[in-house]
Amino acid sequence: MEPKCSICGSPAVAYEHTIRAHLCGTHFTEFVERRVSRTVEKYKMLRGVKRLVVAVSGGKDSVTLLRIMHKLYGEHLELLGVTIDLGISGYSGGCVEAAVRNFEALGVEYRVVRLGDYGFSIDDVNLLNRRRVLRRPVCSVCGMVKRYMINKVALELGADAVATGHNLNDLLLFSLMDIMSASFSELSKLRPKTPTSGKLISRVRPLIFLTDKHTLLYALLNNVPFNPADCPYAPQRGIRVDLLRALDKVEEGNPGFKLALALGMLKLAGKLHVPEAQEGIGECKLCGMPTGSPGLCSFCKLRSQVLRAREVVAPEGQGSSA
Ligand code: Q46
Ligand code: ZN
Ligand code: ZN
């Protein structure tokens, strides 16, 4: 027999083990939105926030975030959307398109910022790595680039905070990797909300207690367009992939494990000493954005490295196949 919604008796679309209930589409949607609003309230994410930038990559997490923030808070907040074109061929175009479709469908004012405007792309970083003129893991470069660009545009837009679509899996992966590498100062920054510090705009993560299965089903049930493609640089194997599989396996036999682990990690992070607004102590000599080290910020350092490295390979380096 088809399972029925434990609340209303309609055909169920999901079993939510953390509340031990089968849920129909309507009640699943309500469950997800309630979890977001409780997270926002628990960590006072929107206290003092009038202008909120939602960073939308175009994937299922960020489009779900935009839809929910618009639905729950759109009337009380000035919502602005930002999406970044990272220049990943066969992927970035679909991401930007999905993000823009969502902004326009909701009537949210938005900006598309392009890494190409700085003279390089994530494809360039990958190509230079392959040619061994650069040794920077693509995803860590990409993460830094996104943080920089989102903060910069949020500052230009006069935002009080930036909301990002990091989910439960992201939180667990980041924290476990930080522990593994004894990066306790990184772990201490693992907060659902980080405050504004100088030119570093506050970050809030309303989806940290939802998994990607939640966001996928929410997007599908609510006709939220998203780019279903995977980034070509997303790791297919390695410790992160294995860790996620292992976490899901434990969760299967022990419903609620991931949520409990996330809460434990957040408590642990909360007890660690946060290094004094490290990144905000100085300003980049080139772009004026915050930096923890004297001279150039990480983004400007990377940019000059990439532009220099590209000159080295330019003569025979035409055509940038990934
Ligand atoms: S976009 Fe960028 Fe991800 Fe692609 S290159 Fe890696 S970090 S996998 S979320
Ligand atoms: Zn129902
Ligand atoms: Zn800079």
Side-chain angles (χ1 to χ4, degrees), residues 86 88 91 122 138-139 142-143 146 231 233-234:
L86 293 162
I88 300 174
Y91 177 66
I122 295 298
V138 176
C139 284
C142 182
K146 287 190 279 194
C231 173
Y233 304 125

Side-chain angles (χ1 to χ4, degrees), residues 1-4 22:
M1 207 174 67
E2 293 279 298
K4 298 269 191 280
H22 287 284

Side-chain angles (χ1 to χ4, degrees), residues 5 8 24 27:
C5 175
C8 70
C24 67
H27 285 112

Side-chain angles (χ1 to χ4, degrees), residues 148 283-291 295-301:
Y148 173 88
E283 286 189 2
C284 172
K285 290 208 166 64
L286 213 56
C287 71
M289 296 301 283
T291 173
L296 303 187
C297 70
S298 314
F299 179 85
C300 288
K301 269 186 215 150

Side-chain angles (χ1 to χ4, degrees), residues 16-319:
E16 179 50 45
H17 59 245
T18 56
I19 55 167
R20 294 196 172 89
H22 287 284
L23 297 172
C24 67
T26 307
H27 285 112
F28 177 81
T29 295
E30 267 184 34
F31 159 78
V32 168
E33 290 169 356
R34 202 175 327 115
R35 187 158 281 184
V36 172
S37 70
R38 284 188 180 162
T39 307
V40 167
E41 280 160 30
K42 181 176 164 92
Y43 296 103
K44 301 181 177 57
M45 289 183 176
L46 298 180
R47 182 186 271 179
V49 175
K50 292 194 186 79
R51 219 167 147 80
L52 179 74
V53 160
V54 183
V56 179
S57 69
K60 57 191 180 319
D61 296 329
S62 59
V63 295
T64 292
L65 172 70
L66 178 73
R67 177 66 66 96
I68 297 177
M69 296 308 276
H70 182 263
K71 187 168 171 182
L72 301 183
Y73 308 107
E75 281 185 17
H76 316 287
L77 278 181
E78 201 180 338
L79 274 190
L80 301 163
V82 171
T83 191
I84 301 175
D85 182 343
L86 293 162
I88 300 174
S89 49
Y91 177 66
S92 291
C95 289
V96 172
E97 194 188 313
V100 168
R101 276 179 71 194
N102 280 280
F103 296 142
E104 295 193 340
L106 299 173
V108 169
E109 205 185 304
Y110 66 93
R111 277 235 195 135
V112 179
V113 284
R114 298 181 197 283
L115 184 54
D117 291 345
Y118 293 90
F120 70 104
S121 66
I122 295 298
D123 278 349
D124 289 333
V125 174
N126 178 54
L127 180 73
L128 295 170
N129 272 326
R130 284 162 53 106
R131 299 212 165 146
R132 299 183 200 287
V133 280
L134 198 70
R135 280 183 177 77
R136 304 280 305 261
V138 176
C139 284
S140 85
V141 165
C142 182
M144 181 271 285
V145 160
K146 287 190 279 194
R147 282 194 298 279
Y148 173 88
M149 292 178 80
I150 288 168
N151 189 67
K152 188 162 185 283
V153 71
L155 200 62
E156 287 163 10
L157 292 168
D160 302 303
V162 175
T164 62
H166 292 104
N167 64 29
L168 183 60
N169 289 345
D170 298 324
L171 184 151
L172 293 177
L173 269 190
F174 289 146
S175 50
L176 288 169
M177 297 301 287
D178 284 344
I179 288 178
M180 195 186 79
S181 55
S183 306
F184 299 118
S185 69
E186 282 306 308
L187 184 62
S188 73
K189 293 184 213 156
L190 184 85
R191 309 277 157 122
K193 174 179 183 167
T194 56
T196 292
S197 163
K199 286 185 175 177
L200 273 184
I201 306 288
S202 166
R203 291 280 177 125
V204 296
R205 302 173 174 109
L207 303 188
I208 45 164
F209 297 131
L210 291 172
T211 66
D212 48 358
K213 288 186 187 122
H214 289 127
T215 56
L216 175 63
L217 188 53
Y218 184 96
L220 293 172
L221 288 170
N222 292 281
N223 299 316
V224 183
F226 63 93
N227 183 8
D230 284 329
C231 173
Y233 304 125
Q236 301 301 314
R237 56 200 161 90
I239 194 159
R240 286 162 193 270
V241 178
D242 291 345
L243 255 180
L244 270 185
R245 260 192 228 124
L247 288 169
D248 282 338
K249 187 91 193 107
V250 182
E251 176 79 20
E252 246 177 66
N254 305 272
F257 158 76
K258 291 209 301 193
L259 206 53
L261 183 60
L263 286 165
M265 288 295 186
L266 288 172
K267 272 199 189 137
L268 174 63
K271 289 198 185 303
L272 295 171
H273 171 71
V274 186
E276 270 295 308
Q278 223 180 32
E279 285 193 75
I281 50 176
E283 286 189 2
C284 172
K285 290 208 166 64
L286 213 56
C287 71
M289 296 301 283
T291 173
S293 47
L296 303 187
C297 70
S298 314
F299 179 85
C300 288
K301 269 186 215 150
L302 168 87
R303 179 170 179 258
S304 73
Q305 235 182 342
V306 171
L307 298 186
R308 249 183 296 127
R310 222 173 35 185
E311 271 170 29
V312 175
V313 296
E316 75 276 22
Q318 282 127 22

